[in-house]
Amino acid sequence: MGRQLGLRVGLQVVQTVTCSRLGTSIDQGLFQDGDVVIGGLFSLYYKPPAIDHDFTQLPDYKSCTGLENLPLQYVYAMVFALEEINHSTTLLPGVKLGYHIHDSCAIPLWALQATLSLVGGDSTSCNSAAQLEYSAGYGAEVGQRRGDLPVPLVIGGDSSVTAKILSRILGPLSVPLMSYTASCPCLSDRRQFPNFFRTMPSDIYQARAIAHLAVNFNWTWIGAVVANNDYGLMAIKIFQEETQGAGVCLAFVETLRRENIMSDARRAALTIQASTARVILIFTWYTDVRELFLQLTKINVTDRQFLASEAWSTSGDLLQNPSTSKVASGVLGVAIRSSAIPGFENYLRNLNPFRRPDEKFLREFWEKMFSCSPGATPFSSYTTSPSYGSRLLQKTSLPLCNGTESLERVQNLFTDTSQLRVTYNVYLAVYAAAHALHNLLSCPDSNSPPGNNSCSYPKHIKPIEVLQYLNNVNFTTPQGEMFYFQGADIPAKYDLVNWQNTPKGQLKLVLVGRVDGFDLHLNESAIQWSTGSSRVPVSVCSESCRPGTRMATKKGEPVCCFDCIPCAEGEISNKTDSPHCERCPSEFWSNAERTACIPRQLDFLSFNETLGITLTTVAVSGATVTTAVFVVFLYYRQTPMVRANNSELSFLLLLSLKLCFLCSLVFIGRPSVWACRFQQAAFGISFVLCVSCLKVKTIVVLAAFRSARPGGEALMKWFGPGQQRGSVCLFTCIQVFICIIWLSLSPPVPQPDFEIPGLKVTLKCAMASVVGFSLVLGYIGLLACTSLLLAFLARKLPDNFNEAKLITFSMLIFCAVWVAFVPAYVSSPGKYAVAVEIFAILASSYGLLFCIFAPKCFIILLRPEKNTKKHLMAR
């Protein structure tokens, strides 16, 4: 009985106690009842409370601090849009829209708690049975029983991480979540997030736009600082994918976490200072950028060009911060497109906590703005204690406002409506929700999803119905803009903005272009860079390779870091940063700069150049000396010295030597078809005639001495003058026959020698048949070797003047010259091969001339007393 009484008393106490849902606060929001209530989540505070590790008590709401002006503008953009719709006679006529707006402090867990409160219905008074019932169901029926309907749609999820968490939680309940800033491309996946919508474009578009800027301005060495979440990591991944193949490399990637922003920002600042990258890409929230810029200011890094993501590219807090103006000058960024909202500025400036006493955020803003308290209200004289696990009430120490305070002349981010970006996204989200509700509540509705012909009433709206109508929403905004969803997304539109210095030393935001989908339109002349000039900054790991060189990647470094290697001869590169050099066609050669292929110049051994003049002089001199010797022998033809060794063969030998000297001249000059044929034939025949004479001379000497022996008288009959002439003719005719066959079947032809590198290409007589040329040389060699052998055998015959000795020396020189000729000829390039052949002809001709005829001329001209038969026959 006592226990039953105690239980009854306990239940009565519970039924009258005031309670709130676990982890939330009854006064942390803006509330307005209506026929349909829309939920709102905003990150109004940027300073989270200190973490308390005392888990002995139940967790309770713990206030954030540091009210932000711009997010507060977002809140009142939602309120303004709802009030505007409530006064509309065409959109949701007769239906009043309400709102429940909460602060999430940019903490996903608190956003989740507030969202569950919104979709489950909240009350300032509850009994234990109802609380248990709510905890078991989170359903609409509980809210209806309590007279407090859950919201059918939530506008919020200010970050991609938060949006993903909330969308997954709300997905089973089919409650639509419409974000105004969540931009992760992953949220476009309708299979994972079927209930998610956003008025913010996907990060794919802004990352691609920034990638196009990097490629457009030839920034190949870029540093990156990103938020350590889906927003930053996904954006930098897309940036890398877009710049792959365009030669853009990341010098470094630093991540920032909000929990450790001080240390992370300091580390990132030092990395930026140490890096050679002059362009820095930043994908993170503007509060993180603010701390990063402060750290850069401390270490005096003011010469970097920053590329901004939409999260901070229009941050008034950074623009108006004088301590970071030197660092932030010249920022080029992608911004959420801006649009005007008619009447919104007047609405903001007419806000007053005296007319809205229950709006805590406005009261706190008023206190911060005017340093006075608006007066006593249920929540004006007390603030929530920051102690974790208890709720103490403390009186404020601010003086009371006198009532004359007004926002008419206040200039800050809250009242600035010159460029409404995220604010306009919130405004669009409210109108998208209103049009979906309008179509849902209109009976019948031509825009109704197939199979849904029933009428809905405000008190009976189901979230899944709102979800269905949001997928098909299509309307014209009050600004005259077409609005529709493509899955979860809207058509992507961005502004390109530039932070420029003003004469007063402040920074201003200047519109320099726009992004429409994947198209980028930029006015480059309007950009003011970080250097303060219109000259585009340079950010490369290695300087560009000029034409005439190629890039060679440094081992172990990114492809953007390379050396510039000059192109080899015969190769060119005619553009900057060429990855390889191209070889010129065989008829062309590279110029000195290796930037263009120019026609190769024909080169040949001419009479005008030094080498040609020298060889010509030597050849003519040889022919002249030979003629002189011929004249001397002709004049002294009756003397024993001339007659002793067959004067007829001597004269024939002198004639052949003269032909040898003169045939070398055929090799000089521009080769022609007939010149190529004649020079080889003249060379081959002249030398065969010369060597044949020497061979016959040697045979005659041997025969003469053999016939002097007993029984050898008949030997000379076989080697008389007729036989000698016939032998010379036979040996020469064999060479003539070889030449005729060779020149008939495959003669040498004039042809440029493109195989030899160089600007000058030698025009030479190309041997079409190596066999023919080899037979000509081989036959000369055969005659020379047999002559040398015979002369060597006759060298010791017992005459005072034995011509066999002279022939031996001359043939030794002859063979040595032509043995050395073969490797020298093969290894000599271009016209020098021709010069080697001429030299061999002249050297061998001079060798024969001097070795055979110089001693004879010496005796004939200078020692006539020895020019007697007695002296010649002496032993």
Side-chain angles (χ1 to χ4, degrees):
M1 180 70 178
R3 293 177 60 186
Q4 292 176 354
L5 179 61
L7 179 60
R8 186 179 299 114
V9 172
L11 286 173
Q12 291 175 349
V13 172
V14 168
Q15 288 173 350
T16 59
V17 74
T18 298
C19 64
S20 62
R21 187 156 302 109
L22 185 67
T24 65
S25 175
I26 59 175
D27 63 340
Q28 295 298 309
L30 267 66
F31 306 98
Q32 177 66 53
D33 291 332
D35 298 324
V36 180
V37 177
I38 296 177
L41 284 176
F42 298 90
S43 297
L44 291 163
Y45 297 91
Y46 69 90
K47 291 182 181 179
I51 298 177
D52 191 342
H53 298 286
D54 181 9
F55 298 106
T56 59
Q57 301 179 12
L58 289 175
D60 200 356
Y61 183 83
K62 196 172 184 184
S63 295
C64 292
T65 57
L67 181 67
E68 294 271 27
N69 292 342
L70 197 56
L72 186 61
Q73 187 187 75
Y74 307 159
V75 169
Y76 280 100
M78 179 175 174
V79 176
F80 172 78
L82 290 170
E83 292 181 4
E84 194 174 52
I85 293 167
N86 286 336
H87 288 89
S88 173
T89 57
T90 58
L91 185 60
L92 289 174
V95 178
K96 181 183 179 183
L97 297 179
Y99 53 83
H100 284 184
I101 300 174
H102 287 279
D103 169 48
S104 65
C105 197
I107 299 177
L109 177 59
W110 290 3
L112 175 60
Q113 293 173 342
T115 302
L116 293 177
S117 174
L118 289 170
V119 299
D122 204 351
S123 177
T124 60
S125 178
C126 58
N127 56 49
S128 60
Q131 183 71 22
L132 290 173
E133 211 171 333
Y134 173 83
S135 301
Y138 283 139
E141 295 180 0
V142 177
Q144 292 172 1
R145 236 177 271 135
R146 289 161 42 204
D148 188 9
L149 290 176
V151 299
L153 178 142
V154 177
I155 295 176
D158 59 345
S159 71
S160 297
V161 173
T162 302
K164 286 201 297 184
I165 295 173
L166 298 185
S167 182
R168 292 187 188 278
I169 294 298
L170 299 178
L173 303 176
S174 298
V175 177
L177 176 69
M178 195 181 310
S179 176
Y180 45 87
T181 51
S183 54
C184 177
C186 58
L187 290 166
S188 299
D189 189 347
R190 301 307 280 169
R191 291 179 298 178
Q192 294 190 55
F193 309 102
N195 61 321
F196 179 77
F197 300 87
R198 56 183 166 194
T199 55
M200 173 76 181
S202 167
D203 279 336
I204 290 178
Y205 298 95
Q206 73 156 325
R208 285 182 175 177
I210 294 178
H212 291 166
L213 287 175
V215 174
N216 182 64
F217 291 116
N218 296 318
W219 293 326
T220 59
W221 192 236
I222 296 178
V225 179
V226 301
N228 192 16
N229 53 32
D230 282 349
Y231 174 74
L233 300 178
M234 184 64 70
I236 201 64
K237 179 182 178 183
I238 297 170
F239 177 84
Q240 288 180 289
E241 291 174 352
E242 284 298 308
T243 56
Q244 188 175 11
V248 178
C249 304
L250 290 178
F252 61 85
V253 177
E254 289 288 340
T255 58
L256 302 179
R257 294 174 297 171
R258 192 180 181 198
E259 297 81 5
N260 302 316
I261 186 58
M262 294 286 288
S263 59
D264 286 358
R266 187 179 302 109
R267 185 193 68 247
L270 293 174
T271 301
I272 292 173
Q273 182 186 40
S275 176
T276 57
R278 287 296 176 266
V279 175
I280 310 299
L281 170 61
I282 302 182
F283 268 98
T284 188
W285 189 239
Y286 74 95
T287 54
D288 300 339
V289 179
R290 177 173 54 199
E291 185 60 39
L292 175 63
F293 280 3
L294 287 174
Q295 295 295 333
L296 289 172
T297 302
K298 290 180 181 178
I299 58 178
N300 196 30
V301 177
T302 60
D303 60 344
R304 300 301 192 271
Q305 175 65 47
F306 292 99
L307 297 179
S309 66
E310 45 76 26
W312 67 276
S313 62
T314 57
S315 171
D317 182 34
L318 295 174
L319 280 165
Q320 298 170 10
N321 192 338
S323 62
T324 61
S325 59
K326 290 184 178 181
V327 174
S329 175
V331 167
L332 180 64
V334 176
I336 301 170
R337 53 83 184 269
S338 64
S339 183
I341 302 178
F344 184 54
E345 183 177 6
N346 290 333
Y347 174 81
L348 290 179
R349 294 191 180 279
N350 288 324
L351 289 176
N352 194 304
F354 293 100
R355 293 190 292 271
R356 297 171 177 261
D358 294 332
E359 298 183 3
K360 173 187 177 298
F361 301 136
L362 181 59
R363 295 180 60 80
E364 186 173 342
F365 169 76
W366 204 266
E367 292 176 356
K368 183 178 72 170
M369 192 73 241
F370 299 107
S371 300
C372 67
S373 176
T377 67
F379 306 111
S380 64
S381 299
Y382 303 94
T383 59
T384 304
S385 171
S387 63
Y388 192 81
S390 64
R391 302 172 59 84
L392 300 178
L393 299 179
Q394 298 175 340
K395 289 190 176 183
T396 62
S397 59
L398 294 175
L400 292 176
C401 297
N402 56 24
T404 61
E405 295 81 8
S406 173
L407 297 178
E408 287 294 335
R409 297 182 179 179
V410 172
Q411 298 294 332
N412 58 22
L413 295 178
F414 178 70
T415 59
D416 182 12
T417 59
S418 59
Q419 295 187 13
L420 300 176
R421 301 182 186 278
V422 176
T423 306
Y424 185 63
N425 285 354
V426 175
Y427 181 81
L428 286 179
V430 176
Y431 265 89
H435 277 273
L437 291 171
H438 179 85
N439 295 335
L440 173 62
L441 298 175
S442 298
C443 303
D445 185 6
S446 59
N447 295 325
S448 299
N452 187 357
N453 297 319
S454 61
C455 295
S456 297
Y457 298 95
K459 297 297 183 181
H460 301 285
I461 289 178
K462 298 178 181 179
I464 192 171
E465 295 176 325
V466 181
L467 178 61
Q468 291 172 347
Y469 278 86
L470 272 176
N471 281 313
N472 298 283
V473 74
N474 192 326
F475 64 94
T476 303
T477 66
Q479 289 73 24
E481 183 180 77
M482 290 299 299
F483 183 93
Y484 56 92
F485 285 112
Q486 297 173 325
D489 302 317
I490 62 172
K493 293 182 180 179
Y494 290 98
D495 290 339
L496 294 175
V497 295
N498 182 219
W499 293 15
Q500 299 184 3
N501 289 313
T502 63
K504 295 182 180 180
Q506 298 176 339
L507 294 176
K508 65 176 180 179
L509 200 65
V510 177
L511 184 67
V512 295
R514 60 185 177 85
V515 178
D516 190 356
F518 293 127
D519 298 328
L520 187 146
H521 308 277
L522 181 65
N523 182 10
E524 296 184 20
S525 61
I527 301 175
Q528 183 185 99
W529 301 103
S530 58
T531 56
S533 66
S534 58
R535 184 178 180 182
V536 180
V538 176
S539 184
V540 295
C541 180
S542 300
E543 292 294 332
S544 295
C545 291
R546 58 177 177 79
T549 62
R550 65 175 178 85
M551 297 189 300
T553 304
K554 295 181 180 178
K555 187 177 181 180
E557 296 190 23
V559 294
C560 298
C561 302
F562 50 83
D563 293 320
C564 296
I565 308 299
C567 292
E569 290 187 355
E571 297 181 346
I572 65 163
S573 65
N574 54 9
K575 60 182 180 180
T576 303
D577 290 337
S578 177
H580 58 272
C581 297
E582 298 179 358
R583 179 163 290 280
C584 293
S586 58
E587 299 85 359
F588 296 84
W589 197 253
S590 57
N591 58 2
E593 294 78 18
R594 308 287 195 273
T595 57
C597 291
I598 57 177
R600 300 177 76 172
Q601 302 172 9
L602 289 178
D603 187 30
F604 51 86
L605 186 61
S606 69
F607 290 99
N608 299 324
E609 59 182 300
T610 304
L611 183 58
I613 294 172
T614 302
L615 293 175
T616 300
T617 303
V618 174
V620 172
S621 300
T624 303
V625 172
T626 304
T627 302
V629 173
F630 186 90
V631 171
V632 169
F633 266 58
L634 183 63
Y635 184 80
Y636 292 100
R637 64 184 178 276
Q638 300 301 329
T639 62
M641 180 62 68
V642 177
R643 297 181 62 185
N645 293 285
N646 196 328
S647 60
E648 185 176 348
L649 288 180
S650 296
F651 286 117
L652 188 59
L653 178 59
L654 287 171
L655 178 62
S656 64
L657 285 175
K658 187 173 183 178
L659 291 176
C660 290
F661 281 116
L662 293 177
C663 79
S664 63
L665 298 176
V666 184
F667 289 85
I668 304 175
R670 185 185 181 94
S672 63
V673 174
W674 290 105
C676 289
R677 296 183 180 185
F678 180 72
Q679 63 184 210
Q680 298 300 339
F683 157 70
I685 295 173
S686 298
F687 270 92
V688 165
L689 179 60
C690 180
V691 176
S692 297
C693 292
L694 293 175
K695 184 173 182 178
V696 172
K697 271 178 166 288
T698 308
I699 293 174
V700 170
V701 171
L702 286 173
F705 280 95
R706 293 291 182 185
S707 63
R709 296 178 180 180
E713 295 81 1
L715 187 62
M716 282 302 297
K717 294 180 181 180
W718 297 101
F719 291 97
Q723 288 81 0
Q724 295 174 23
R725 287 191 293 269
S727 298
V728 171
C729 184
L730 176 63
F731 293 147
T732 305
C733 286
I734 294 174
Q735 182 75 306
V736 171
F737 181 72
I738 293 174
C739 289
I740 290 174
I741 296 176
W742 173 33
L743 298 179
S744 299
L745 297 179
S746 183
V749 292
Q751 182 177 325
D753 187 6
F754 294 120
E755 299 298 324
I756 299 177
L759 179 60
K760 293 184 177 181
V761 55
T762 302
L763 182 63
K764 66 177 185 178
C765 294
M767 298 298 173
S769 174
V770 179
V771 175
F773 185 61
S774 301
L775 288 175
V776 170
L777 289 181
Y779 184 64
I780 296 173
L782 177 64
L783 291 179
C785 290
T786 55
S787 297
L788 174 62
L789 179 61
L790 292 174
F792 180 78
L793 295 175
R795 73 188 186 283
K796 294 184 178 181
L797 293 179
D799 265 357
N800 192 26
F801 189 87
N802 186 359
E803 194 175 24
K805 295 180 181 179
L806 302 179
I807 294 175
T808 301
F809 286 117
S810 65
M811 296 313 298
L812 282 173
I813 294 174
F814 183 88
C815 292
V817 168
W818 287 101
V819 168
F821 159 76
V822 175
Y825 181 82
V826 172
S827 61
S828 297
K831 63 183 180 182
Y832 296 103
V834 179
V836 167
E837 187 172 359
I838 296 174
F839 177 80
I841 293 173
L842 296 177
S844 57
S845 299
Y846 271 107
L848 294 175
L849 178 64
F850 285 113
C851 287
I852 294 174
F853 292 100
K856 295 178 180 181
C857 289
F858 177 78
I859 293 174
I860 292 172
L861 297 176
L862 301 179
R863 294 288 187 269
E865 68 276 8
K866 294 183 179 182
N867 189 6
T868 62
K869 187 176 181 179
K870 180 180 179 180
H871 177 76
L872 293 177
M873 297 298 292
R875 294 185 178 270

